[in-house]
Amino acid sequence: MKLKKGFLITVEGCEGCGKSTQSKLLEQYLRKKGFKVVLTREPGGSVVAEQVRGILLNPKSKLSPVCELMLYESARAQHVEEIIKPNLKKGYIVVCDRFTDSTIAYQGYARKIDIKKIEKLNDIATDSITPDLTIYLDIKPHIGIQKAKSESLKDSFKNGDRIERESISFHNAVRKGFVALAKKFPERIKTVKTNPVIEKTQAAVNTEIDKFLMKKKIYV
Ligand SMILES: Nc1ncnc2c1ncn2[C@@H]1O[C@H](COP(=O)(O)OP(=O)(O)OP(=O)(O)O)[C@@H](O)[C@H]1O
Ligand SMILES: [Mg+2]
């Protein structure tokens, strides 16, 4: 099915909550319904943005909070221009693993950079594109971080990537940020409590997707 204008669906949450797992499952779910779908992620999603991701996640990178913020936003600007915008224009559903809300939660709530300033930078980097729907996967940070670190071990960073190595109080502040955002934007951000059974979380995500499609009057 070809939409006139695509939708941007973002999947957000703390480390190890299951964003990547659920984003992939969501991509398949939407494909089965007949939509054209692109799955992408932040930081990254384009060649240059993936290079910036490498800097951001490498535990050896020493970054000031503002430098870190700007790197996330530069990667985003390129990703939006190269991947997100053209695919929305073509009528695709873009599923993005992390997006602007992560920057508010991590750089705002946890690193304590002024949120108004981050909102401005998000607006510049996205050329004012905002998600049509955001699935926020809620997990207790101490549970998520254990899972995320074991995943990183498989990737390459022992003891977790640069962000996973932050303190538990940092990750609790991130979660506080996501919860506050979900409260502030109840129409856009839908909270899904993660369940230890992946399929149960997936079913809850799909329920939100179906509600969203109904709201948009798309019946498939
Ligand atoms: N509902 C779930 N219950 C138990 N384990 C899960 C669940 N969802 C995902 N996992 C597992 O937890 C780990 C982390 O999941 P995933 O990589 O999808 O999380 P993430 O949010 O993308 O993490 P990161 O923030 O590190 O990118 C993986 O090993 C995955 O298989
Ligand atoms: Mg992931």
Side-chain angles (χ1 to χ4, degrees):
M1 183 202 298
K2 195 88 186 274
L3 299 164
K4 257 193 205 144
K5 195 192 136 291
F7 294 121
L8 174 60
I9 301 178
T10 59
V11 181
E12 295 276 12
C14 297
E15 309 297 319
C17 65
K19 295 176 298 297
S20 303
T21 307
Q22 293 301 328
S23 300
K24 279 187 204 120
L25 292 169
L26 177 55
E27 177 197 24
Q28 292 164 15
Y29 182 67
L30 291 167
R31 283 231 167 100
K32 273 199 195 129
K33 281 185 177 284
F35 296 105
K36 300 268 188 199
V37 189
V38 167
L39 173 63
T40 186
R41 68 170 181 184
E42 287 211 348
S46 82
V47 175
V48 165
E50 287 290 333
Q51 287 170 346
V52 177
R53 179 188 180 94
I55 299 172
L56 280 164
L57 298 188
N58 191 336
K60 286 188 185 142
S61 300
K62 194 167 170 278
L63 306 173
S64 77
V66 174
C67 174
E68 180 188 69
L69 168 66
M70 299 303 221
L71 285 173
Y72 278 111
E73 298 292 4
S74 342
R76 175 164 301 138
Q78 191 59 34
H79 181 220
V80 166
E81 212 48 42
E82 215 177 303
I83 308 291
I84 297 183
K85 260 203 217 168
N87 281 295
L88 290 177
K89 222 172 148 186
K90 280 196 297 186
Y92 279 47
I93 297 184
V94 178
V95 176
C96 191
D97 178 348
R98 287 197 188 279
F99 199 55
T100 42
D101 295 310
S102 277
T103 319
I104 304 277
Y106 282 76
Q107 280 61 53
Y109 280 81
R111 296 265 194 245
K112 315 271 181 246
I113 298 176
D114 183 68
I115 287 170
K116 288 258 167 301
K117 289 182 183 169
I118 302 176
E119 284 170 346
K120 269 190 204 157
L121 290 171
N122 276 344
D123 187 55
I124 294 170
T126 59
D127 197 14
S128 305
I129 288 175
T130 54
D132 296 285
L133 173 70
T134 298
I135 302 290
Y136 163 54
L137 299 171
D138 189 55
I139 197 168
K140 289 200 174 85
H142 69 276
I143 297 172
I145 204 74
Q146 270 179 335
K147 286 194 204 156
K149 280 188 177 178
S150 59
E151 278 293 295
S152 277
L153 207 68
K154 280 187 239 158
D155 292 351
S156 60
F157 302 130
K158 283 188 186 140
N159 302 317
D161 66 34
R162 196 177 60 86
I163 309 296
E164 288 161 3
R165 289 177 187 207
E166 288 291 344
S167 65
I168 192 69
S169 62
F170 176 91
H171 295 291
N172 284 332
V174 171
R175 186 192 193 195
K176 212 174 134 193
F178 281 124
V179 170
L181 282 163
K183 210 169 162 190
K184 190 172 169 192
F185 302 105
E187 279 303 305
R188 171 174 69 84
I189 306 181
K190 303 298 175 191
T191 301
V192 168
K193 292 236 175 277
T194 51
N195 188 292
V197 180
I198 290 178
E199 291 74 17
K200 285 198 176 162
T201 309
Q202 184 192 7
V205 171
N206 291 349
T207 300
E208 291 302 339
I209 297 297
D210 291 347
K211 277 197 231 164
F212 168 79
L213 293 172
M214 287 257 273
K215 211 168 74 183
K216 296 285 175 190
K217 301 196 168 28
I218 297 167
Y219 306 103
V220 279

PDB file of all heavy atoms in Angstrom, residues 123-142:
ATOM      1  N   ASP A 123      14.927  21.003  16.420  1.00  0.00           N
ATOM      2  CA  ASP A 123      14.119  21.596  15.347  1.00  0.00           C
ATOM      3  C   ASP A 123      14.987  21.904  14.126  1.00  0.00           C
ATOM      4  O   ASP A 123      14.578  21.675  12.987  1.00  0.00           O
ATOM      5  CB  ASP A 123      13.437  22.861  15.880  1.00  0.00           C
ATOM      6  CG  ASP A 123      12.461  23.426  14.875  1.00  0.00           C
ATOM      7  OD1 ASP A 123      11.564  22.660  14.450  1.00  0.00           O
ATOM      8  OD2 ASP A 123      12.601  24.599  14.490  1.00  0.00           O
ATOM      9  N   ILE A 124      16.193  22.397  14.370  1.00  0.00           N
ATOM     10  CA  ILE A 124      17.105  22.698  13.251  1.00  0.00           C
ATOM     11  C   ILE A 124      17.519  21.388  12.561  1.00  0.00           C
ATOM     12  O   ILE A 124      17.435  21.253  11.348  1.00  0.00           O
ATOM     13  CB  ILE A 124      18.355  23.465  13.741  1.00  0.00           C
ATOM     14  CG1 ILE A 124      17.957  24.855  14.269  1.00  0.00           C
ATOM     15  CG2 ILE A 124      19.396  23.597  12.613  1.00  0.00           C
ATOM     16  CD1 ILE A 124      19.074  25.596  14.991  1.00  0.00           C
ATOM     17  N   ALA A 125      17.939  20.413  13.361  1.00  0.00           N
ATOM     18  CA  ALA A 125      18.465  19.160  12.790  1.00  0.00           C
ATOM     19  C   ALA A 125      17.405  18.399  12.001  1.00  0.00           C
ATOM     20  O   ALA A 125      17.718  17.722  11.020  1.00  0.00           O
ATOM     21  CB  ALA A 125      19.038  18.281  13.899  1.00  0.00           C
ATOM     22  N   THR A 126      16.153  18.480  12.438  1.00  0.00           N
ATOM     23  CA  THR A 126      15.096  17.693  11.779  1.00  0.00           C
ATOM     24  C   THR A 126      14.382  18.482  10.697  1.00  0.00           C
ATOM     25  O   THR A 126      13.471  17.946  10.064  1.00  0.00           O
ATOM     26  CB  THR A 126      14.021  17.262  12.797  1.00  0.00           C
ATOM     27  OG1 THR A 126      13.482  18.453  13.385  1.00  0.00           O
ATOM     28  CG2 THR A 126      14.577  16.351  13.869  1.00  0.00           C
ATOM     29  N   ASP A 127      14.753  19.761  10.540  1.00  0.00           N
ATOM     30  CA  ASP A 127      14.018  20.648   9.638  1.00  0.00           C
ATOM     31  C   ASP A 127      12.529  20.622  10.029  1.00  0.00           C
ATOM     32  O   ASP A 127      11.642  20.528   9.169  1.00  0.00           O
ATOM     33  CB  ASP A 127      14.222  20.200   8.181  1.00  0.00           C
ATOM     34  CG  ASP A 127      13.846  21.308   7.203  1.00  0.00           C
ATOM     35  OD1 ASP A 127      13.695  22.464   7.637  1.00  0.00           O
ATOM     36  OD2 ASP A 127      13.678  20.997   6.005  1.00  0.00           O
ATOM     37  N   SER A 128      12.298  20.628  11.317  1.00  0.00           N
ATOM     38  CA  SER A 128      10.955  20.660  11.935  1.00  0.00           C
ATOM     39  C   SER A 128      10.110  19.408  11.720  1.00  0.00           C
ATOM     40  O   SER A 128       8.894  19.441  11.922  1.00  0.00           O
ATOM     41  CB  SER A 128      10.159  21.897  11.476  1.00  0.00           C
ATOM     42  OG  SER A 128      10.883  23.066  11.725  1.00  0.00           O
ATOM     43  N   ILE A 129      10.740  18.314  11.326  1.00  0.00           N
ATOM     44  CA  ILE A 129       9.981  17.059  11.215  1.00  0.00           C
ATOM     45  C   ILE A 129       9.824  16.476  12.624  1.00  0.00           C
ATOM     46  O   ILE A 129      10.797  16.376  13.378  1.00  0.00           O
ATOM     47  CB  ILE A 129      10.727  16.039  10.309  1.00  0.00           C
ATOM     48  CG1 ILE A 129      10.629  16.494   8.860  1.00  0.00           C
ATOM     49  CG2 ILE A 129      10.150  14.621  10.468  1.00  0.00           C
ATOM     50  CD1 ILE A 129      11.427  15.643   7.892  1.00  0.00           C
ATOM     51  N   THR A 130       8.586  16.135  12.972  1.00  0.00           N
ATOM     52  CA  THR A 130       8.372  15.497  14.279  1.00  0.00           C
ATOM     53  C   THR A 130       7.738  14.128  14.041  1.00  0.00           C
ATOM     54  O   THR A 130       7.038  13.926  13.051  1.00  0.00           O
ATOM     55  CB  THR A 130       7.450  16.345  15.191  1.00  0.00           C
ATOM     56  OG1 THR A 130       6.247  16.606  14.472  1.00  0.00           O
ATOM     57  CG2 THR A 130       8.089  17.640  15.606  1.00  0.00           C
ATOM     58  N   PRO A 131       7.960  13.182  14.956  1.00  0.00           N
ATOM     59  CA  PRO A 131       7.372  11.850  14.757  1.00  0.00           C
ATOM     60  C   PRO A 131       5.848  11.911  14.758  1.00  0.00           C
ATOM     61  O   PRO A 131       5.242  12.717  15.472  1.00  0.00           O
ATOM     62  CB  PRO A 131       7.876  11.063  15.965  1.00  0.00           C
ATOM     63  CG  PRO A 131       9.054  11.812  16.483  1.00  0.00           C
ATOM     64  CD  PRO A 131       8.795  13.252  16.169  1.00  0.00           C
ATOM     65  N   ASP A 132       5.228  11.052  13.939  1.00  0.00           N
ATOM     66  CA  ASP A 132       3.764  10.934  13.955  1.00  0.00           C
ATOM     67  C   ASP A 132       3.341  10.099  15.154  1.00  0.00           C
ATOM     68  O   ASP A 132       2.250  10.283  15.687  1.00  0.00           O
ATOM     69  CB  ASP A 132       3.285  10.273  12.655  1.00  0.00           C
ATOM     70  CG  ASP A 132       3.613  11.149  11.452  1.00  0.00           C
ATOM     71  OD1 ASP A 132       2.916  12.152  11.267  1.00  0.00           O
ATOM     72  OD2 ASP A 132       4.603  10.862  10.742  1.00  0.00           O
ATOM     73  N   LEU A 133       4.190   9.173  15.517  1.00  0.00           N
ATOM     74  CA  LEU A 133       3.910   8.301  16.670  1.00  0.00           C
ATOM     75  C   LEU A 133       5.238   7.892  17.293  1.00  0.00           C
ATOM     76  O   LEU A 133       6.208   7.608  16.579  1.00  0.00           O
ATOM     77  CB  LEU A 133       3.158   7.034  16.201  1.00  0.00           C
ATOM     78  CG  LEU A 133       2.934   5.951  17.258  1.00  0.00           C
ATOM     79  CD1 LEU A 133       1.906   6.398  18.304  1.00  0.00           C
ATOM     80  CD2 LEU A 133       2.442   4.646  16.611  1.00  0.00           C
ATOM     81  N   THR A 134       5.251   7.859  18.613  1.00  0.00           N
ATOM     82  CA  THR A 134       6.450   7.390  19.333  1.00  0.00           C
ATOM     83  C   THR A 134       6.036   6.300  20.305  1.00  0.00           C
ATOM     84  O   THR A 134       5.100   6.479  21.079  1.00  0.00           O
ATOM     85  CB  THR A 134       7.109   8.567  20.094  1.00  0.00           C
ATOM     86  OG1 THR A 134       7.515   9.555  19.137  1.00  0.00           O
ATOM     87  CG2 THR A 134       8.316   8.109  20.897  1.00  0.00           C
ATOM     88  N   ILE A 135       6.735   5.172  20.218  1.00  0.00           N
ATOM     89  CA  ILE A 135       6.516   4.099  21.182  1.00  0.00           C
ATOM     90  C   ILE A 135       7.623   4.210  22.216  1.00  0.00           C
ATOM     91  O   ILE A 135       8.810   4.103  21.881  1.00  0.00           O
ATOM     92  CB  ILE A 135       6.583   2.702  20.501  1.00  0.00           C
ATOM     93  CG1 ILE A 135       5.545   2.575  19.370  1.00  0.00           C
ATOM     94  CG2 ILE A 135       6.451   1.580  21.540  1.00  0.00           C
ATOM     95  CD1 ILE A 135       4.102   2.507  19.807  1.00  0.00           C
ATOM     96  N   TYR A 136       7.236   4.469  23.455  1.00  0.00           N
ATOM     97  CA  TYR A 136       8.230   4.530  24.520  1.00  0.00           C
ATOM     98  C   TYR A 136       8.180   3.217  25.311  1.00  0.00           C
ATOM     99  O   TYR A 136       7.167   2.885  25.921  1.00  0.00           O
ATOM    100  CB  TYR A 136       7.971   5.734  25.449  1.00  0.00           C
ATOM    101  CG  TYR A 136       8.687   5.616  26.769  1.00  0.00           C
ATOM    102  CD1 TYR A 136      10.068   5.403  26.810  1.00  0.00           C
ATOM    103  CD2 TYR A 136       8.000   5.672  27.978  1.00  0.00           C
ATOM    104  CE1 TYR A 136      10.734   5.246  28.014  1.00  0.00           C
ATOM    105  CE2 TYR A 136       8.661   5.508  29.184  1.00  0.00           C
ATOM    106  CZ  TYR A 136      10.025   5.298  29.199  1.00  0.00           C
ATOM    107  OH  TYR A 136      10.686   5.124  30.394  1.00  0.00           O
ATOM    108  N   LEU A 137       9.281   2.467  25.231  1.00  0.00           N
ATOM    109  CA  LEU A 137       9.366   1.175  25.923  1.00  0.00           C
ATOM    110  C   LEU A 137       9.925   1.408  27.319  1.00  0.00           C
ATOM    111  O   LEU A 137      11.099   1.752  27.482  1.00  0.00           O
ATOM    112  CB  LEU A 137      10.271   0.219  25.142  1.00  0.00           C
ATOM    113  CG  LEU A 137       9.822  -0.130  23.718  1.00  0.00           C
ATOM    114  CD1 LEU A 137      10.914  -0.911  22.996  1.00  0.00           C
ATOM    115  CD2 LEU A 137       8.514  -0.933  23.738  1.00  0.00           C
ATOM    116  N   ASP A 138       9.077   1.256  28.301  1.00  0.00           N
ATOM    117  CA  ASP A 138       9.488   1.563  29.674  1.00  0.00           C
ATOM    118  C   ASP A 138      10.074   0.333  30.371  1.00  0.00           C
ATOM    119  O   ASP A 138       9.464  -0.735  30.373  1.00  0.00           O
ATOM    120  CB  ASP A 138       8.276   2.087  30.462  1.00  0.00           C
ATOM    121  CG  ASP A 138       8.687   2.626  31.815  1.00  0.00           C
ATOM    122  OD1 ASP A 138       9.569   3.509  31.859  1.00  0.00           O
ATOM    123  OD2 ASP A 138       8.143   2.154  32.833  1.00  0.00           O
ATOM    124  N   ILE A 139      11.264   0.517  30.925  1.00  0.00           N
ATOM    125  CA  ILE A 139      11.931  -0.571  31.657  1.00  0.00           C
ATOM    126  C   ILE A 139      12.648   0.029  32.862  1.00  0.00           C
ATOM    127  O   ILE A 139      13.039   1.212  32.827  1.00  0.00           O
ATOM    128  CB  ILE A 139      12.948  -1.306  30.734  1.00  0.00           C
ATOM    129  CG1 ILE A 139      13.345  -2.660  31.311  1.00  0.00           C
ATOM    130  CG2 ILE A 139      14.190  -0.453  30.464  1.00  0.00           C
ATOM    131  CD1 ILE A 139      14.099  -3.559  30.341  1.00  0.00           C
ATOM    132  N   LYS A 140      12.833  -0.761  33.909  1.00  0.00           N
ATOM    133  CA  LYS A 140      13.626  -0.263  35.041  1.00  0.00           C
ATOM    134  C   LYS A 140      15.084  -0.257  34.587  1.00  0.00           C
ATOM    135  O   LYS A 140      15.609  -1.291  34.126  1.00  0.00           O
ATOM    136  CB  LYS A 140      13.443  -1.175  36.255  1.00  0.00           C
ATOM    137  CG  LYS A 140      12.062  -1.060  36.870  1.00  0.00           C
ATOM    138  CD  LYS A 140      12.066  -1.584  38.310  1.00  0.00           C
ATOM    139  CE  LYS A 140      10.728  -1.327  38.977  1.00  0.00           C
ATOM    140  NZ  LYS A 140       9.727  -2.371  38.690  1.00  0.00           N
ATOM    141  N   PRO A 141      15.772   0.898  34.700  1.00  0.00           N
ATOM    142  CA  PRO A 141      17.127   1.008  34.148  1.00  0.00           C
ATOM    143  C   PRO A 141      18.093  -0.097  34.594  1.00  0.00           C
ATOM    144  O   PRO A 141      18.874  -0.582  33.781  1.00  0.00           O
ATOM    145  CB  PRO A 141      17.584   2.385  34.615  1.00  0.00           C
ATOM    146  CG  PRO A 141      16.321   3.164  34.672  1.00  0.00           C
ATOM    147  CD  PRO A 141      15.280   2.209  35.177  1.00  0.00           C
ATOM    148  N   HIS A 142      18.024  -0.540  35.849  1.00  0.00           N
ATOM    149  CA  HIS A 142      19.020  -1.540  36.274  1.00  0.00           C
ATOM    150  C   HIS A 142      18.819  -2.867  35.530  1.00  0.00           C
ATOM    151  O   HIS A 142      19.768  -3.620  35.349  1.00  0.00           O
ATOM    152  CB  HIS A 142      19.017  -1.724  37.798  1.00  0.00           C
ATOM    153  CG  HIS A 142      17.792  -2.385  38.345  1.00  0.00           C
ATOM    154  ND1 HIS A 142      16.651  -1.675  38.626  1.00  0.00           N
ATOM    155  CD2 HIS A 142      17.525  -3.674  38.631  1.00  0.00           C
ATOM    156  CE1 HIS A 142      15.726  -2.519  39.089  1.00  0.00           C
ATOM    157  NE2 HIS A 142      16.236  -3.739  39.092  1.00  0.00           N
TER     158      HIS A 142
END
